[in-house]
Amino acid sequence: MTTTVERPTESQRRFKVIGTRPIRHDGLGKVTGADRYGADVQLPGMLHAKMLRSPHAHARIKKIDTSKAEALPGVKAVVTSRDLPIIDDKPIDLAETLGNPRVLAENALASSKVLYKGHAIAAVAATSPHIAEEAAELIEVEYEVLQPVLDVREAMKKDAPLIHEKLTTHEVQRRFTRGDDTGVISNVASHLQFKQGDVADGFSRADVVVEREFTTVPVHQGYIEPQASTAQWAPDGHLTIWTSSQGSFGIRDQTAAILGIPQSMVKVVPMEIGGGFGGKIGTYLDPVAALLSKKAGLPVKIVMTRKEVFEGTGPTSGSYMRCKIGARRDGTITAAEFYLAYGAGAFPGSPVGAGAMYGLAPYKIDNVLIDAYDVVLNNPKVAAYRAPGTPQAAFAVESTLDELAEKLGIEPMEFRLTNAVREGDRQVNGIPFGSVGCVEVEEAIKNHPHYRTPLNGANRGRGVAMGFWGNGGMQSSATINVNTDGTISLITGSVDIGGTRVAVAMQAAEVLGLAAEDVVPTVGDTNAVGWTGITGGSRTAFSTGIAAITAAEQIKRTMAERAALKWETQPEDIEFEDGVFVSKMNREDRLTFKEIAASMMATGGPITASASSNPRQVGVSFAATLVDVEVDRETGKVQILRATAFQDVGMAVHPSYVEGQMQGGTVQGIGWALNEEYFFTDDGTMANSSFLDYRMPTSLDLPAIDTEIIEVPNPGHPFGVRGVGEVSIVAPMAAVANAIHDAVGIRMTSLPMSPGEVLKALDEQQRAGK
Amino acid sequence: MAEKGSRAKALAGGTDVLVQLRAKRYLIDRLVDIKKIPEMNELTCTEQAGLVLGAAVPCCLIYENQDVSRLYPGLIDSAFLIGGIQIQGRASIGGNLCNAAPSADAIPTLIALEATCNIVGPKGKRTIAVEDFCTGPGQNVLKDGELLVSIHLPPPKRNSGAHYLRFIPRNEMDIAVAGVGASVVLSNGKIESARLALASVAPTPVFATKAAATLVGKEANEEAVLEAAEEAKKAAKPISDMRGTIEQRIHLVGVLTKRALNKAIARAKGAE
Ligand SMILES: Cc1cc2nc3c(=O)[nH]c(=O)nc-3n(C[C@H](O)[C@H](O)[C@H](O)COP(=O)(O)OP(=O)(O)OC[C@H]3O[C@@H](n4cnc5c(N)ncnc54)[C@H](O)[C@@H]3O)c2cc1C
């Protein structure tokens, strides 16, 4: 799969384990199919549940009659929102968006209004999935159908139908808060502004100004495993949930809040996960399965179909953007103005804040004005998707910049380097960047054989774009137990996505002078390990890594104490080199890790350590995509000929999995660029809710994707690690758009750049006589 | 099958019928597996008699057959396009025809190759031309209890060539936005006869006779091909949906007709 040329990276010179490519601990289970995923759970007496979902995109629920469903033989329980303690007559407080349990509950089971087609209304548990399905269809719902609002610009109009009658616009100064209430009722949940310098003055000093409008539509994460959850609510009140999610503690906390029970009464057991990309952070099924289990007195499993995944779980936002950038003849950018309106779906909370913060991040611009709007629509509530909100913004910014470079007659990489951010330059919120690899990434592109090899042939073109992502920190916990055979067991709460078990295990191994294979990593349930944030936000190898390193350091200290006891010296007088404890007093006194482990019962008992992380210096990531395309002028089809992903990863712990992330993000970005889209009919139905017509790229649509790892260490991690999971999806859309322009001279400003759209643009070009 | 009438369906490869049953496209009481009926599995191919293709023969057996590959490369184009390897192990040309999808990738080829359908039913046997078989999306001429037994392709004429191609946004795994099947017979560099059929641009596959007629007697050159392509566009009566717009589909019919004819002519001249 990987096409990277082996070469000594920085990490391979400094470390023994970091930078090598051991086989992942969970590899066998993955390739043989022995691993158990969400839908594989089987329990004695288990019932199967199906949801009833709204056929309308926007409607008031007048009446729900479940009696016919309840009467069907084999049906054991039916639930609606009336069974959720949190849903009462009080209106939803939409002022609080992040993790608002009332909103999560309303999204899991609609109470008074359905807000998108596919919005869950009721659920049935029965002795077989078929009976459950049949019974769900027997539930009678009376609707008052309302006009759906499907487009951000429509939704922002004064006379647009209101999705939430009481939603007022908030003025926000920072991310993740809803700021001051303006009291104005509309579909605009919030307005966020960033301002630096004086844009009017900046533009007046520009020789060339380019302004363009851009639109994108919702796209789905497209993880291969549909959501699946099994719940067992025991008579003593203990609730156990086996689920496919990106974070067991998050699911536990959300479920407990929705059900109004203490967190200690809920245990979440993580199953292996078939992809999430941000889409498996919020809960959909877990509280519903729990309620059904409580009513039926039996375990209940719910598994979504692909159609349900498309219609009922979060895609990412569609958007409308306007980007204006000005520069002087010498290539210095003088000002930028950026307007973004993102669709949030049914409830406030689009990732427009990240788009606003990060779209312009690769450039040092003194005069900036950014206005961002979070707009509710009759689409599924959006969920996080790999670098949430940023790919849309980068599409606008990097396309505008490419055009600006063209108009200035400056080579696009030169133009970017002239304006590249460095340590100490201010972000749009005024906070200066720490150590960053923006310049290093751009230099790497210029020096890469892909960039230096001329591209020949008609209708072929090359495009490049930069991407930035802030990465997450958050808290993690890890426990290490030393085994007498000299190996260690490592328990973390991080669900393994993309090889995080091995990446975290390697960091513990590095500290203790062990081989990666000497670590037995386990993903613990919520009762087995300390609180741990999601596997998401590019944070796991970084933050859970720090927890594992800290625990390993404690193990090392305890072992030094044991050795000190034996040599009748002080632990401070003991060094640890190459897996061996050596007394500084007498260099002949040596004990290996394995020897101390073997004797631990006699020297003081089991050696264990638990630690947690709460990192402050999260290393941010710059990345870029370089892509060659060929356009079929007669059909509008774009073929990707060659693609290279560049990324500052801080320190590549396991290069294969770093490359895998870079390639995966690039593939998803190419899919978003070319063909992926929610295709809504006028009534708000997603017409293409299957993988047949929701066109993700297949292996036949892609070349092997080259990766270029750049390592600018993150001072906030002992080994220099930065998050690597997300930023690779940011640049591809703009890179493809710029390549299409290079190939055939058209500027594509809407996603996806599907054959029909490219054909239209080519037609217009011909009519304009260019 | 006759007993259950419209509540019964035949099962060949099942790659349409099982998917549609799951999607609740229709409700039936009986599904009859026809794969074990010997006549449905016939595959005889000779230069003299042509090809008898049992209705249930899967695509993989068709393109693995050397005689079929040599004599009917146009049919192979279709057999190779339908699904991926796994689907081709099951999917039949007969099923593709009986399913009568406007987008079916085998039907334009069968029309271009002058194929006929051998049908059997409670009232005996009958034979009809493929272009007369489909009556609407998912609808065909078969009456309750009738089955398609086999498809017959006449022996290929001397200096003839055929090609089918479709347009899809990806490189595989898609439903044709438009498709064109073409066959030509050449004589002394001139086009003696030609047949054209279009996919995905009307409720049924379209037999574009007028467009084909423009070719007859002309030199097999660019000009003739472009004229036929323009005429073929007029035969297209598509709709706009999530897979493509009316304008895009009509435009594509022109492009694909040109490309299909060029390749069919090249094959008639002896290329691959
Ligand atoms: C993943 C996938 C990809 C696909 N890709 C393509 C593609 O690229 N192009 C394309 O055209 N199609 C495609 N299809 C559709 C399908 O595979 C084809 O139409 C195939 O040729 C159907 O053949 P079958 O033998 O599986 O038919 P079946 O599903 O068995 O039958 C199809 C229909 O014909 C009826 N029928 C079958 N045999 C007879 C008979 N002898 N007499 C009377 N009625 C009969 C059945 O009752 C049913 O209504 C795809 C399907 C899938 C699942």
Side-chain angles (χ1 to χ4, degrees), chain A residues 358-364 398 419-421 438 442 466-468 622:
Chain A
Y358 299 156
L360 288 158
Y363 308 99
K364 178 178 164 21
E398 295 291 319
N419 297 287
V421 285
C438 185
E442 290 175 0
M466 291 293 293
F468 173 80
F622 282 95

Side-chain angles (χ1 to χ4, degrees), chain B residues 203-255:
Chain B
T204 59
V206 175
F207 184 28
T209 47
K210 268 195 186 164
T214 65
L215 292 161
V216 177
K218 300 236 172 79
E219 296 288 331
N221 60 20
E222 170 109 23
E223 198 190 329
V225 165
L226 289 179
E227 191 188 338
E230 274 311 308
E231 195 60 38
K233 283 159 79 173
K234 293 182 198 154
K237 301 276 177 294
I239 53 163
S240 285
D241 66 8
M242 62 183 162
R243 299 190 182 121
T245 61
I246 293 173
E247 301 73 36
Q248 184 192 5
R249 286 187 154 122
I250 292 178
H251 169 83
L252 285 171
V253 164
V255 175

Side-chain angles (χ1 to χ4, degrees), chain B residues 9-19 26 34 40 55 81-83 87 90-96 98-99 103-106 142 146-148 166 173-174:
Chain B
K9 272 198 172 284
L11 170 87
T15 60
D16 276 319
V17 73
L18 295 180
V19 177
Y26 36 73
I34 57 161
M40 299 275 185
L81 274 182
I82 295 172
I87 295 294
R90 284 275 172 186
S92 64
I93 299 292
N96 193 262
C98 291
N99 188 58
S103 60
D105 283 318
L142 295 181
E146 272 191 329
L147 283 174
L148 174 73
R166 65 177 181 185
M173 299 310 293
D174 253 322

